[in-house]
Amino acid sequence: MSQQVFADRIGKSKSWVDKIERGVRRLDKFSVLHDIADVLQVDVQLLLGRDPERSPDTANCVDQVEVEDIRQALERYERLGTLFEAAPIEPIPLTDLEKSVSHAWMTFESANYAALARSLINLLKLGPAVEEESEERDRPKAANLLSQIYQIASSVLRKLGEPQLAWLAADRAISAAQRGDDPLLIGTATTRVANALRSLGRSRAALDLNIQVAQKILSQGGPAPTDAVYSVHGALLLQGSMAAAHCGDLPTARELLRSADQIADVVGDGKNHYWTSFGPTNVALHRAAAAVELGEGRMAINTHVSIDPESFQRLVPERRAHHYLDVARGYNQVGNLPEAGRLLVEASRIAPLEIRCRPIAHQVISDVLRRSRGAAPALLVSMAEELRLAA
């Protein structure tokens, strides 16, 4: 990168860059250091002569350095432009952003959160710039892509135990989807907001939000809703059932699951409209998860054993590993620790980072090991040692 190109990207003169490089002028503003780090795509700690603080027990997962980078990307406000000394973000073509977002969804569905976190840091900066620089006719599409970026970020952050950041990203996702004028995208963004609220302990608010938007989505679908409309409506009902279960509201959870079941029979399995994976099998997964939240481990296990294996195998890795984690919690609740351990190991085989990256998984592993008294699977013991978990 030439001095001139570098100077242009950080909003400085070539002469300023030359003086900094020769040591004639001091680089003493932290905000400028951050801008330089963005342009050079390096950690700002390296520019300060320090190694980034990385946790030794992340086992190739997302660490606090990357979470902090995501936080900073979410906190940027490119639309305020010259009010800040922020380095301008050079947008990419809309088609390139679309490909990158599609790849990010696939990475999420594969539960490769480490790779996804790194790409999200860049996408969260590029997305607003692309929308801002797009021609008028392309603005809605750019806004919808930005909404998807925020939704992916929200889902990952919630899994990593960062509910406040997850809520911020989800809220941004709804705003972007509104600019894109896609009601179904607004619906999926709503599930991210509700999930973040549930993680923050506001389950009743999450329940009300899911139900309200689910009804609106279906009413806007017309007399013959499409499978996509049914899928988003059904996803909202499923997340509502989880919020109800978290509240201890068994009747509401059951009613929402029953309604989702009826819609899922219309949609069928094997579809993934708006990245919902909605269908009869995914409804069964949520029925098991809701049972675990209610403390009904036996009910979760009975649901699990009734799921058609072939339909289950067709789900994306993230869904399957997540389900095994839920059912492992169910087995833990009923005291079947060997089976709980076996499912944790199986979940790690399908999607390693779904287990290694999630605080809830770490809690379950520790609890199973603590109660097993030497009877836990050797692979689970080995995994706990790699993660430096206390049993």
Side-chain angles (χ1 to χ4, degrees), residues 249-301:
D249 188 346
L250 177 58
T252 301
R254 283 179 172 171
E255 177 61 25
L256 291 172
L257 286 165
R258 185 190 63 79
S259 298
D261 244 336
Q262 293 175 342
I263 296 170
D265 286 339
V266 176
V267 177
D269 273 328
K271 312 228 173 70
N272 192 12
H273 296 291
Y274 279 75
W275 315 279
T276 59
S277 293
F278 185 75
T281 303
N282 202 17
V283 173
L285 267 57
H286 281 80
R287 179 173 284 107
V292 171
E293 288 295 333
L294 289 161
E296 299 286 346
R298 180 59 57 190
M299 186 187 303
I301 294 165

Side-chain angles (χ1 to χ4, degrees), residues 59-204:
N60 296 320
C61 193
V62 185
D63 61 24
Q64 282 305 118
V65 172
E66 288 159 332
V67 170
E68 186 59 30
D69 285 343
I70 292 174
R71 184 194 306 276
Q72 290 176 10
L74 281 170
E75 290 174 349
R76 291 177 69 99
Y77 287 85
E78 276 76 9
R79 281 188 167 80
L80 298 183
T82 56
L83 292 178
F84 293 100
E85 291 185 9
I89 303 297
E90 188 173 338
I92 61 175
L94 190 59
T95 53
D96 289 352
L97 182 65
E98 188 172 20
K99 291 175 183 176
S100 295
V101 172
S102 178
H103 183 264
W105 277 117
M106 290 188 290
T107 307
F108 174 77
E109 291 181 332
S110 298
N112 188 354
Y113 304 131
L116 183 56
R118 290 189 289 271
S119 65
L120 275 174
I121 293 166
N122 193 42
L123 286 173
L124 286 166
K125 298 173 184 177
L126 282 172
V130 171
E131 183 187 2
E132 186 73 16
E133 296 299 322
S134 291
E135 296 183 14
E136 193 66 32
R137 68 175 185 275
D138 293 329
R139 286 278 177 89
K141 184 176 182 179
N144 286 337
L145 290 172
L146 180 57
S147 176
Q148 293 173 47
I149 293 169
Y150 285 135
Q151 289 192 49
I152 298 169
S154 178
S155 293
V156 172
L157 289 164
R158 186 174 63 86
K159 284 180 179 285
L160 297 176
E162 297 283 346
Q164 289 283 1
L165 281 181
W167 182 87
L168 173 60
D171 187 65
R172 294 273 186 89
I174 286 184
S175 297
Q178 288 174 326
R179 295 195 298 274
D181 197 24
D182 185 340
L184 298 186
L185 202 57
I186 295 172
T188 58
T190 299
T191 66
R192 321 292 176 189
V193 171
N195 283 340
L197 287 173
R198 179 158 55 91
S199 296
L200 289 166
R202 301 193 58 203
S203 297
R204 182 58 62 180

Side-chain angles (χ1 to χ4, degrees), residues 285 288 292 304 307 309 312-313 317-332 339-351 354-355 358 364:
L285 267 57
V292 171
H304 167 66
I307 295 173
F312 180 72
Q313 288 299 320
E318 180 272 335
R319 287 276 77 223
R320 286 184 281 140
H322 190 147
H323 173 67
Y324 278 143
L325 173 58
D326 287 334
V327 182
R329 294 171 63 198
Y331 276 112
N332 192 35
E339 192 62 14
R342 186 189 70 81
L343 285 182
L344 288 167
V345 170
E346 181 63 15
S348 183
R349 184 190 66 79
I350 294 169
E354 181 70 17
I355 300 301
R358 299 191 61 189
V364 179

